[in-house]
Amino acid sequence: MEYVLQTQALGKNYRKFTALENLTMSVPRGAVYGLVGKNGAGKTTLLRLICGLQTPTYGTYSLYGRNNQEPDIIKARRRMGAVVETPSICLDMSAENNLRQQCRVLGLPDFSCVPELLELVGLEGTGKKKAKNFSLGMRQRLGIAVALCGGPDFLVLDEPVNGLDPQGIVEIRELILKLNRERDITVLISSHILEELHKLATHYGFIDSGRMLRQVSAEELEATCRKCVRADVSDTQAAALALDGLGVDYKILEGKQVDVFDAVNTGKLVQALSDAGCEVYSVQNHDESLESYFLSLVGAGKGGEGHA
Amino acid sequence: MRKLLSANFYAMSRSLRFWLGVFMMAATAVYAGVDARKMLDMNVNNAIDANALLFVPLLFLVLPALGALFINTDYHDGTIRNKITVGRSRAAVYLANLISVYLSGLFYMAVYTVIFLPLSMALGCRLSDPQAYAAKLALLMLVFLSLAAVAVLLASLIASRSVLVVCAFLAFTLMFGSAALNVMLEEPQMIDDFDGVMMTTETDNDGRVIMQYTDSQGNPISPEDMKTIPNPRYIPQPWRGVLRTVNDVQPGGQMWEILQNGHTDYTGSGSERLEITVQTPYWLIALYALAVTLVSTAAGLALFSRKDIK
């Protein structure tokens, strides 16, 4: 698998405070990588390091295979765009002038990309209105448009839906998906709004107290969090035989519990288990949300009980 | 670098504050031109020479504030991140900021000069020594370079809005501090001893005021025979040399040295004492200005390359 970004035991200390600790992660090409963590978990610090705004205390990272300690990293950076924390826009300029300004920074030969980018983020009708008079959502979209100047193929977004109204959240989500699917842009997106990330991400990195707790793909997470019927039974071996007979997907758990993943009539399930000589003490619907998955990970990270 | 300069000039040209400064310079130039003509009518010689550099103290106060405002806006709006994230080196960002701030200062100088000179000439004033004026202008360009370098150093390292106050305070301190230092250094080594001396004034038949000094017995004393004592405010060596060098090195002192055609000093002692005007050589001022620029820029580049940007 080709990786756009890889970090190796990355660390960042601010005096005695440890913001990042031995963080290792990999962002595959073409992914929408959701960086999940609480406030203060180290998400923004990580993004600042990747963007070259700050220097790691220890460890390294590579962008498009170029190590951050090599002078060549500058070339790799030209392939990325970022919105870290607040949108980086000149408040005294219009949306169009902001984009022209970034074109100058990049040294683009002309401003032909400006109308297209304005249209892409839905700001084509803002005219001479200055960015300081924009709503939060408009500023966020302008920030993304500025980051898209020069056609990057890696986009870093820090809490892009923070503070937005529901419509703004939908607009940003659709924009990110469009960029990923139509322009093949790899997106690294940090957020603590888990349900929102769930609608976007193809890969997840769970971070807490500056440490990477776990990296999973969306499929793996889906499998972990999928809905099921959980039954307490007297004999798991007999239950397995009965469930094999029904041809359903299941998983035997510790403590004489069985998770049945396929949609199955509860009456039929209980009947089949009884016929196989397995008593059923209780049956309940069970599904683990992304939220509870994250909380269980955080608990494990603090020395609590790990996620099964 | 060229790309960053282009972006910086574009940002500056869109800034209302920048054009407010241009308007201020233009207005000062018009006032100075008209004032030079008035002075000429009042038979004040060389008024145009003094007014030709009237903008200097003003620009000395405006340039650090302008630089701080320009760079701090980059931090405040977060647009500095747009430059670094896309691969512009920190050295390039720093140097582009320095060049932009300095060139904006030169632009202000140019605005003043191109308005003042033609206007005052049209009003009948002539520079007494155009070559000396050109030399001063060239030297002032170096002084403003060193001032811009110090302001950019501070503005690049202090990301908070407080840098505006710091830079304004810096300009005031350098300018008025050096003026105060000059006053201290102008104190003579020996002063007349007025202890026990009475001074009386009389008016003669022509209405002129005549001052007379007498001792405690009422005997008249000639001012030439007055006893002299050491001046307690006189700054002796080696501090005298150190403070003189400080004033010659720092941009505020350099500015006064150029505007006032040197500084006051004394030669001889007692009745032989003579007040003279001493001028620090222009080449030495230029050398000091370049040294301040180089040291500030080197320190700024080293510290800015390690600065954590938020």
Side-chain angles (χ1 to χ4, degrees):
Chain A
M1 190 180 282
E2 192 184 343
Y3 294 104
V4 171
L5 168 73
Q6 284 183 298
T7 72
Q8 290 91 31
L10 208 55
K12 177 70 180 173
N13 298 336
Y14 298 107
R15 295 177 195 267
K16 286 181 182 174
F17 175 72
T18 303
L20 282 185
E21 189 181 347
N22 288 317
L23 191 135
T24 298
M25 68 182 281
S26 303
V27 178
R29 189 190 178 97
V32 176
Y33 190 103
L35 194 59
V36 187
K38 295 185 291 189
N39 289 331
K43 304 185 295 291
T44 302
T45 302
L46 174 65
L47 300 189
R48 282 181 191 147
L49 295 186
I50 291 163
C51 292
L53 301 171
Q54 299 187 357
T55 321
T57 308
Y58 57 87
T60 59
Y61 63 89
S62 58
L63 275 170
Y64 292 101
R66 290 190 170 106
N67 192 282
N68 68 305
Q69 288 161 346
E70 295 168 14
D72 256 11
I73 189 77
I74 281 177
K75 286 181 187 165
R77 284 198 199 293
R78 287 180 191 157
R79 296 174 67 180
M80 70 185 281
V83 184
V84 180
E85 286 187 292
T86 51
S88 308
I89 50 176
C90 299
L91 297 174
D92 281 332
M93 287 187 197
S94 66
E96 185 180 340
N97 285 339
N98 263 287
L99 294 178
R100 283 171 170 252
Q101 171 74 343
Q102 189 61 10
C103 288
R104 284 186 174 88
V105 169
L106 290 161
L108 299 183
D110 56 40
F111 305 121
S112 56
C113 65
V114 172
E116 187 202 349
L117 284 173
L118 285 174
E119 196 183 336
L120 181 73
V121 297
L123 293 175
E124 67 273 27
T126 51
K128 290 184 177 174
K129 188 176 179 179
K130 288 184 177 176
K132 64 182 170 192
N133 299 320
F134 281 10
S135 67
L136 194 62
M138 288 165 82
R139 287 186 190 190
Q140 199 66 264
R141 281 182 281 153
L142 178 57
I144 294 175
V146 168
L148 289 172
C149 270
D153 35 28
F154 180 38
L155 191 60
V156 175
L157 301 174
D158 186 18
E159 311 267 10
V161 296
N162 220 3
L164 297 188
D165 59 21
Q167 192 188 341
I169 291 174
V170 172
E171 285 171 1
I172 294 288
R173 184 203 310 151
E174 284 176 355
L175 176 62
I176 293 168
L177 287 172
K178 191 174 175 182
L179 292 171
N180 178 248
R181 287 169 189 168
E182 293 178 12
R183 299 192 175 203
D184 200 24
I185 294 177
T186 305
V187 185
L188 170 60
I189 176 170
S190 83
S191 184
H192 57 254
I193 306 173
L194 303 179
E195 292 311 315
E196 189 49 44
L197 263 189
H198 197 48
K199 294 168 185 164
L200 284 170
T202 58
H203 293 76
Y204 296 88
F206 294 93
I207 179 173
D208 187 51
S209 303
R211 286 173 294 156
M212 180 59 76
L213 300 176
R214 188 167 296 176
Q215 291 189 93
V216 289
S217 69
E219 291 79 26
E220 287 169 324
L221 189 67
E222 197 64 38
T224 310
C225 299
R226 71 201 268 202
K227 287 184 178 179
C228 65
V229 170
R230 181 165 290 178
D232 285 308
V233 294
S234 59
D235 183 349
T236 49
Q237 278 189 327
L241 280 172
L243 292 169
D244 283 340
L246 284 174
V248 293
D249 191 8
Y250 67 91
K251 186 178 175 184
I252 306 289
L253 306 175
E254 287 176 15
K256 295 194 174 179
Q257 283 188 323
V258 181
D259 277 351
V260 182
F261 295 107
D262 292 340
V264 60
N265 181 299
T266 312
K268 274 188 183 174
L269 176 68
V270 173
Q271 186 64 52
L273 290 170
S274 298
D275 291 348
C278 172
E279 285 184 57
V280 180
Y281 302 126
S282 71
V283 176
Q284 55 192 341
N285 283 325
H286 180 85
D287 69 305
E288 186 171 42
S289 65
L290 186 59
E291 205 168 63
S292 56
Y293 178 79
F294 171 66
L295 290 174
S296 65
L297 273 181
V298 173
K302 286 182 177 162
E305 198 179 322
H307 185 265
Chain B
M1 175 80 88
R2 198 168 40 82
K3 294 158 190 169
L4 287 171
L5 284 173
S6 161
N8 281 356
F9 292 138
Y10 181 71
M12 228 173 235
S13 72
R14 311 291 306 180
S15 161
L16 186 67
R17 296 166 197 131
F18 174 77
W19 291 110
L20 203 66
V22 172
F23 174 76
M24 201 165 69
M25 280 293 153
T28 309
V30 171
Y31 164 78
V34 173
D35 184 62
R37 175 68 235 183
K38 278 186 190 168
M39 290 294 181
L40 195 67
D41 292 342
M42 291 160 70
N43 291 323
V44 177
N45 291 328
N46 303 333
I48 186 173
D49 292 333
N51 280 13
L53 299 174
L54 196 68
F55 73 95
V56 174
L58 184 66
L59 186 56
F60 197 91
L61 295 175
V62 166
L63 189 62
L66 181 85
L69 202 60
F70 175 69
I71 294 171
N72 190 258
T73 302
D74 231 12
Y75 277 116
H76 182 255
D77 291 352
T79 41
I80 194 165
R81 296 195 291 257
N82 290 342
K83 295 172 182 171
I84 292 169
T85 304
V86 299
R88 298 283 162 250
S89 73
R90 291 198 179 205
V93 170
Y94 187 94
L95 292 174
N97 282 346
L98 173 60
I99 293 169
S100 305
V101 171
Y102 177 55
L103 289 184
S104 68
L106 290 192
F107 182 68
Y108 281 3
M109 273 177 93
V111 167
Y112 182 91
T113 308
V114 298
I115 293 175
F116 173 78
L117 283 183
L119 177 68
S120 56
M121 283 175 183
L123 293 172
C125 305
R126 293 285 178 274
L127 285 167
S128 63
D129 187 351
Q131 277 185 329
Y133 168 72
K136 282 183 178 183
L137 219 51
L139 201 56
L140 281 166
M141 285 163 80
L142 280 180
V143 173
F144 282 122
L145 176 61
S146 65
L147 182 66
V150 176
V152 168
L153 165 71
L154 291 173
S156 299
L157 299 181
I158 306 170
S160 75
R161 280 290 196 202
S162 65
V163 73
L164 302 178
V165 179
V166 172
C167 280
F169 183 72
L170 168 87
F172 269 96
T173 308
L174 291 180
M175 197 163 109
F176 296 112
S178 66
L181 214 55
N182 272 338
V183 169
M184 285 163 65
L185 290 169
E186 281 170 12
E187 286 285 341
Q189 192 171 6
M190 303 296 284
I191 51 170
D192 292 331
D193 182 13
F194 285 95
D195 197 23
V197 175
M198 306 277 287
M199 191 183 77
T200 55
T201 55
E202 283 178 13
T203 311
D204 66 7
N205 295 335
D206 297 332
R208 287 178 298 191
V209 177
I210 298 168
M211 284 193 292
Q212 275 194 331
Y213 298 102
T214 54
D215 63 14
S216 50
Q217 276 83 45
N219 303 317
I221 304 172
S222 160
E224 286 78 31
D225 297 335
M226 194 90 75
K227 209 169 70 178
T228 56
I229 54 166
N231 182 359
R233 289 181 183 167
Y234 178 78
I235 300 170
Q237 295 291 2
W239 282 109
R240 190 169 190 79
V242 170
L243 293 178
R244 183 75 262 154
T245 308
V246 166
N247 241 11
D248 284 345
V249 169
Q250 66 110 324
Q254 294 174 346
M255 181 193 74
W256 291 125
E257 191 70 20
I258 296 164
L259 292 184
Q260 296 176 341
N261 297 311
H263 56 273
T264 304
D265 212 336
Y266 295 91
T267 177
S269 61
S271 57
E272 302 291 313
R273 195 184 71 224
L274 200 65
E275 186 179 305
I276 54 166
T277 299
V278 181
Q279 197 162 42
T280 306
Y282 277 5
W283 65 264
L284 191 58
I285 293 179
L287 200 68
Y288 283 146
L290 284 173
V292 170
T293 306
L294 287 176
V295 170
S296 309
T297 308
L301 284 170
L303 295 170
F304 185 65
S305 68
R306 285 198 289 268
K307 182 176 169 58
D308 283 344
I309 293 172
K310 291 189 174 175

